Amino acid sequence: AQAILAQALKTEGSRARCATPFLKLLPPPPHSLRMLFGRIAAASRAAAVRGAQRAVPLGFPGAQRTASTGAFPKLMSIRYDGLMAKCLIAAIVYYVPQDVVVLAGMFWSWHSTSSSISPKKKQADAEAALEAFKAKKGLDDLKVYKGRSTWHVTL
């Protein structure tokens, strides 16, 4: 083993120098692995160049714009078969019918309360009905708002 180690330390070959002599005993990486690392290095250099070209001067030397231009982050992808989508669908299916029942009951209660306080009645002649109301209540000056289909009387 010492002879192999001494042999490895003497031979330099085409391999790069290593910090430990044991790595020299390993065979060189296959051609495809070297090509993969080369492509990764080239892509990182190209990304660095593109990032430097995106810097926009702001009117004086040395200033550059580095903030994001978007108003909010964009989602990269939404998987409709993922956990988040399934949980949202289940929550909608479970809670919406309950909410509809509760809100319908609340609106019906509000409508019946307001109808009992101030019922509306269709009048054939609105002017005559207003004069009859004034005479019945003994009022002289009323403020009348004449809407398209409803009149409102205030004191």
Side-chain angles (χ1 to χ4, degrees), residues 2-21:
Q2 289 179 355
I4 295 174
L5 184 58
Q7 177 79 20
L9 289 174
K10 289 180 185 176
T11 58
E12 290 284 326
S14 64
R15 296 185 201 143
R17 288 192 170 186
C18 296
T20 59

Side-chain angles (χ1 to χ4, degrees), residues 8-82:
L9 289 174
K10 289 180 185 176
T11 58
E12 290 284 326
S14 64
R15 296 185 201 143
R17 288 192 170 186
C18 296
T20 59
F22 298 107
L23 292 178
K24 289 187 178 185
L25 297 176
L26 297 175
H31 178 67
S32 61
L33 191 60
R34 284 184 287 187
M35 188 183 314
L36 173 73
F37 289 137
R39 287 182 180 172
I40 291 172
S44 68
R45 283 192 304 269
V49 169
R50 278 194 305 262
Q53 289 174 350
R54 284 187 190 156
V56 178
L58 295 177
F60 55 92
Q64 65 181 1
R65 185 175 176 178
T66 58
S68 174
T69 58
F72 58 92
K74 294 180 182 176
L75 297 175
M76 293 178 63
S77 67
I78 297 175
R79 291 186 53 116
Y80 292 103
D81 61 343

Side-chain angles (χ1 to χ4, degrees), residues 99-110:
D99 293 343
V100 168
V101 169
V102 169
L103 291 176
M106 287 172 53
F107 285 123
W108 177 77
S109 173
W110 292 338

